[in-house]
Amino acid sequence: MHHFKEAKGLLSARNGMNIYRGCTHGCIYCDSRSKCYHIEHDFEDIEVKINAPELLESALKSKRKKCMISTGSMCDSYIPLENTLRHTRKCLEIIDRYGFGLSMLTKSCGILRDLDIFKSINGKAKCVVETTLTTFDEGLCKIVEPGVSTTRERARMLKTMRDSGIPAVVWLSPFLPFINDTEENLRGLLDYCEDAAVYGIIFFGTGMTLREGNREYYYSKLDEHFPGLSEKYHKKYGYSYVVPSDNNGYLTGVFKKECKKRGIVCDNDKIFAFLSTMEEKQEQMSLFNA
């Protein structure tokens, strides 16, 4: 289900954009369902910013200096609807044509359809692909992220990007208390990252966040798939925004030690600078190809 809307603007102050509003991936922990984002329609009823390409072209024309354009942080640009609308691809073609950089975050291997454009952008400016990895267990992945490409499929996508000379950044999150907050899960995901030679991993510790809107949806899915677990959450966390894992201290130590050993950047500030700065391309790419 989807509907069209004429948007007034597209790029944020930090040059981020959301071509769609809403998502059909069905991730049980999705923060974008939170009421604070003021999505007034049903979350699965995708709002398509029908004039997004025109707005993007107008914005890029007016910029004096080339910069990185980012997308995918709120609503995935490669939901199934994109297969027919090709709205994301139209915007990528504009970014490529005007010589801007791109940072694309997605949980879908549908991104590989546009590999030709990513290569072109990366040849002229800078392109970075980001994805989130949550659980090494494929069966669990299909429960907590039912509509996305599985973790194994995303890992293969990262290797394709590596082979194409496109650097990647992985978000390791969320580690859901009592579900996937284990050392086995962490090490399995790190193995995927090392195998794909990712540039860096963004990691904010183990746990999750719950706001009004996504909390209710998450608890309903716990009741559906993990009977009794929502009561355990209520008792332990109440209505806290931050929901930390009891294993956070230990797993954070393992994470930092393993990243150092595997040669993966894990300084969040350094990674965010890499994602947002075009001028670092040559230096960073030489490190990536070393």
Side-chain angles (χ1 to χ4, degrees), residues 247-262:
N247 303 326
N248 180 58
Y250 175 71
L251 291 179
T252 297
V254 171
F255 170 77
K256 291 180 177 178
K257 181 180 178 181
E258 287 298 316
C259 284
K260 183 177 181 181
K261 184 172 76 173
R262 299 168 191 243

Side-chain angles (χ1 to χ4, degrees), residues 6-12 18 49 51-52 55-56:
E6 289 270 345
K8 295 180 179 179
L10 188 68
L11 290 186
S12 70
N18 284 299
K49 296 179 182 178
N51 57 335
L55 290 172
L56 177 62

Side-chain angles (χ1 to χ4, degrees), residues 44-240:
E44 285 76 19
D45 178 14
I46 308 301
E47 181 179 286
V48 181
K49 296 179 182 178
I50 192 63
N51 57 335
E54 292 79 13
L55 290 172
L56 177 62
E57 184 160 17
S58 177
L60 298 190
K61 275 182 180 179
S62 67
K63 285 188 178 294
R64 295 183 179 180
K65 186 178 179 181
K66 299 292 193 291
C67 64
M68 295 292 287
I69 307 299
S70 63
T71 188
S73 60
M74 265 289 290
C75 300
D76 202 310
S77 300
Y78 287 99
I79 52 178
L81 183 62
E82 168 62 19
N83 294 335
T84 54
L85 288 187
R86 300 173 71 85
H87 221 45
T88 295
R89 185 173 178 91
K90 292 172 187 174
C91 290
L92 295 181
E93 289 170 342
I94 293 167
I95 291 170
D96 185 32
R97 186 161 66 248
Y98 284 89
F100 281 74
L102 173 71
S103 177
M104 168 67 76
L105 173 61
T106 183
K107 292 180 182 178
S108 172
C109 290
I111 191 176
L112 293 174
R113 180 201 67 186
D114 297 329
L115 185 58
D116 59 326
I117 304 182
F118 295 124
K119 288 180 179 179
S120 182
I121 292 173
N122 201 44
K124 300 173 188 174
K126 176 179 175 181
C127 181
V128 186
V129 167
E130 305 171 65
T131 195
T132 302
L133 299 181
T134 300
T135 173
F136 185 72
D137 184 313
E138 291 288 285
L140 182 59
C141 176
K142 291 174 182 177
I143 293 173
V144 301
E145 305 168 324
V148 306
S149 299
T150 69
T151 307
R152 186 181 297 128
E153 289 168 344
R154 277 173 271 167
R156 286 199 294 263
M157 178 270 289
L158 290 173
K159 290 172 74 172
T160 299
M161 294 299 172
R162 175 204 66 193
D163 294 343
S164 301
I166 298 171
V169 166
V170 165
W171 296 66
L172 281 193
S173 69
F175 285 81
L176 309 171
F178 314 114
I179 296 177
N180 70 325
D181 56 337
T182 66
E183 183 173 355
E184 178 184 18
N185 182 49
L186 175 61
R187 289 185 179 276
L189 296 176
L190 287 172
D191 286 344
Y192 276 145
C193 293
E194 182 181 20
D195 195 33
V198 303
Y199 167 79
I201 300 174
I202 295 172
F203 177 76
F204 290 104
T206 56
M208 65 184 304
T209 58
L210 288 173
R211 309 181 208 245
E212 184 182 4
N214 86 305
R215 180 187 294 112
E216 291 78 5
Y217 185 81
Y218 180 63
Y219 281 176
S220 72
K221 291 302 177 180
L222 290 186
D223 290 337
E224 181 180 343
H225 299 290
F226 307 95
L229 193 51
S230 64
E231 288 83 357
K232 195 171 183 179
Y233 270 72
H234 274 298
K235 185 175 180 181
K236 185 173 179 64
Y237 302 112
Y239 288 89
S240 297

